[in-house]
Amino acid sequence: MSRTAADGIVVVGGGYAGVHAARSIIRAGRRAFIVDPTGQHDYVTRLAAVAGGTAPTVDASSPLTDFSDDVIVASMVAVDDGVVTLDDGRELTADAVVVTAGAVPSTPPIPGIELAAPLRTADDALALRERVDIATSVVIIGGGATGVQLAGAIASRHRHTRVSLIEADTSLLAAMRPETGRDAARILLGRGVDVRLGSGVERIEDGAVVVDGESIDGLVVWAAGFSPRAAKLGCPTTATGRIDVDETLLVRGTERTFAAGDIAGHVDADGSEFAMSAQVAVQAGAAAGDNAVRVANGETPDPVTLDHRGWVLDLGGCRGLAEVGPLTFSAPFLDVVPPLLHWGIDVKHLLDSRGFEGLLDRPR
Ligand SMILES: Cc1cc2nc3c(=O)[nH]c(=O)nc-3n(C[C@H](O)[C@H](O)[C@H](O)COP(=O)(O)OP(=O)(O)OC[C@H]3O[C@@H](n4cnc5c(N)ncnc54)[C@H](O)[C@@H]3O)c2cc1C
């Protein structure tokens, strides 16, 4: 095993949390080494639109070299305090480490789950797009943000494709306000989507899902939850399997290793764990990057306060849903606002993570 001293701070993962951590580090005049097996930043919040055909394929990802000059294409397999072990056998020692390796689609014990197409990475979205283009029927399992946005995009772009959305809960978007879930159903039913609530998936077959004893044929997509990539890293974890971090985002029990984004168990002021979201990942990544710089400078990291400002979903066809603070944009005449907000958030992400250059490279 070779040990390499990274002359700076190592950021593991180049997703939302990772590129914002890198931006904070570079702004402070330090080098940010981004370790990622793909070498690219996936615009995960755009992937339902890419897969469904309402956004162009260039919206799926950008090279990580757009975000930092120092990119290491490799996977982390373990992390110790300030030391990252890579799958090629190298060990990187650094002034500080920020772990942001995200999450993977969950795999509950449903027979045949491996047959369902996942949607998490740009590669998943591009592969799914090709299959959706030629499918006559698509069955999406999971009526959360991912499933609802994908169903909306496919039904808007592929009007002759039968789209079924299967949700075990009695409403769509269970993490959001009841009226938002009702309006999601209104928009999708208006597009002819077969929305099935309170429906349990019994098994998945090649080209079909068996739901409450009935077999529904189609391209099967799994959109019913994600698990953090925290297992087997040797870090302490919370009850939900995310890395346990303290109020400064340090991995509990370490002095120079931070964690941020979906992989970390971020909590609100009441101690409740936030749902996985890009907006929390962006805030946490930037704050972890700032604190990593402080530790690298021999200073004490600052406490971090994160907040969940709401949800903005794009259902394609210039329709969407949003909850921003106390406001809910989901009445019929307000449906057009959320896609504009979603676009604004994407622009802000590019501006905050890359500056104006990011916008010039990726005109929308
Ligand atoms: C289809 C879809 C739509 C969504 N829409 C929204 C939305 O509208 N609004 C919202 O707030 N949230 C949304 N989310 C959730 C949001 O995308 C995630 O919460 C967000 O991507 C989390 O950011 P992250 O940086 O923690 O992880 P990611 O963005 O997933 O980045 C993780 C990175 O780590 C890399 N990596 C993985 N393993 C390793 C390893 N071993 N070593 C090194 N690097 C590794 C990956 O390649 C990846 O680049 C959506 C999610 C999906 C799937």
Side-chain angles (χ1 to χ4, degrees):
M1 176 161 316
S2 68
R3 180 167 274 224
T4 311
D7 179 22
I9 295 168
V10 170
V11 177
V12 180
Y16 286 81
V19 297
H20 285 268
R23 183 74 175 173
S24 295
I25 294 161
I26 293 165
R27 273 201 184 125
R30 292 261 176 178
R31 289 175 77 180
F33 293 84
I34 304 181
V35 174
D36 195 297
T38 67
Q40 61 185 28
H41 170 70
D42 292 350
Y43 296 96
V44 182
T45 64
R46 298 291 295 157
L47 295 183
V50 170
T54 54
T57 53
V58 292
D59 273 15
S61 65
S62 286
L64 276 170
T65 45
D66 288 351
F67 297 86
S68 173
D69 292 337
D70 300 296
V71 175
I72 299 170
V73 179
S75 267
M76 170 186 72
V77 290
V79 59
D80 204 348
D81 199 6
V83 185
V84 172
T85 307
L86 304 182
D87 58 350
D88 59 13
R90 275 182 293 169
E91 269 189 353
L92 296 177
T93 59
D95 297 334
V97 172
V98 184
V99 178
T100 71
V104 286
S106 56
T107 50
I110 295 174
I113 184 139
E114 69 286 354
L115 298 170
L119 178 57
R120 174 69 194 198
T121 66
D123 288 349
D124 292 341
L126 296 173
L128 191 53
R129 181 185 176 105
E130 287 187 7
R131 297 178 70 187
V132 165
D133 272 347
I134 53 169
T136 53
S137 173
V138 181
V139 190
I140 300 162
I141 304 170
T146 302
V148 163
Q149 293 186 103
L150 181 64
I154 296 174
S156 148
R157 177 77 178 79
H158 300 272
R159 301 217 167 145
H160 301 294
T161 303
R162 177 189 152 104
V163 182
S164 304
L165 182 61
I166 314 297
E167 168 56 49
D169 211 318
T170 50
S171 62
L172 294 176
L173 302 173
M176 300 177 207
R177 294 177 191 141
E179 60 268 35
T180 310
R182 280 198 297 273
D183 276 303
R186 171 180 56 76
I187 294 171
L188 295 179
L189 291 168
R191 291 181 184 166
V193 175
D194 172 25
V195 178
R196 301 199 182 199
L197 302 176
S199 299
V201 172
E202 286 166 24
R203 65 178 184 279
I204 299 168
E205 297 170 348
D206 193 12
V209 177
V210 179
V211 180
D212 299 333
E214 182 192 347
S215 179
I216 309 172
D217 289 345
L219 165 62
V220 183
V221 184
W222 179 257
F226 298 94
S227 307
R229 278 199 185 90
K232 299 184 197 152
L233 289 181
C235 296
T237 52
T238 66
T240 55
R242 297 165 83 178
I243 295 179
D244 193 12
V245 290
D246 70 12
E247 68 285 0
T248 68
L249 309 187
L250 270 173
V251 176
R252 219 170 277 282
T254 70
E255 292 177 355
R256 53 186 63 250
T257 304
F258 297 83
D262 285 1
I263 199 168
H266 300 303
V267 292
D268 64 16
D270 299 329
S272 306
E273 207 166 82
F274 286 111
M276 294 178 182
S277 79
Q279 50 156 317
V280 170
V282 162
Q283 294 172 53
D290 286 339
N291 271 343
V293 170
R294 282 193 189 92
V295 164
N297 290 342
E299 299 161 15
T300 309
D302 283 342
V304 173
T305 305
L306 304 172
D307 70 62
H308 177 79
R309 294 162 194 155
W311 292 100
V312 179
L313 306 183
D314 181 356
L315 271 63
C318 300
R319 294 285 180 276
L321 306 150
E323 296 175 1
V324 184
L327 302 176
T328 303
F329 295 87
S330 59
F333 54 94
L334 290 175
D335 288 350
V336 293
V337 177
L340 295 172
L341 293 176
H342 205 281
W343 175 82
I345 292 168
D346 291 341
V347 167
K348 185 170 181 329
H349 168 54
L350 284 174
L351 270 176
D352 290 350
S353 58
R354 291 189 55 202
F356 279 105
E357 203 186 315
L359 282 190
L360 296 176
D361 275 7
R362 295 180 59 80
R364 279 157 195 278

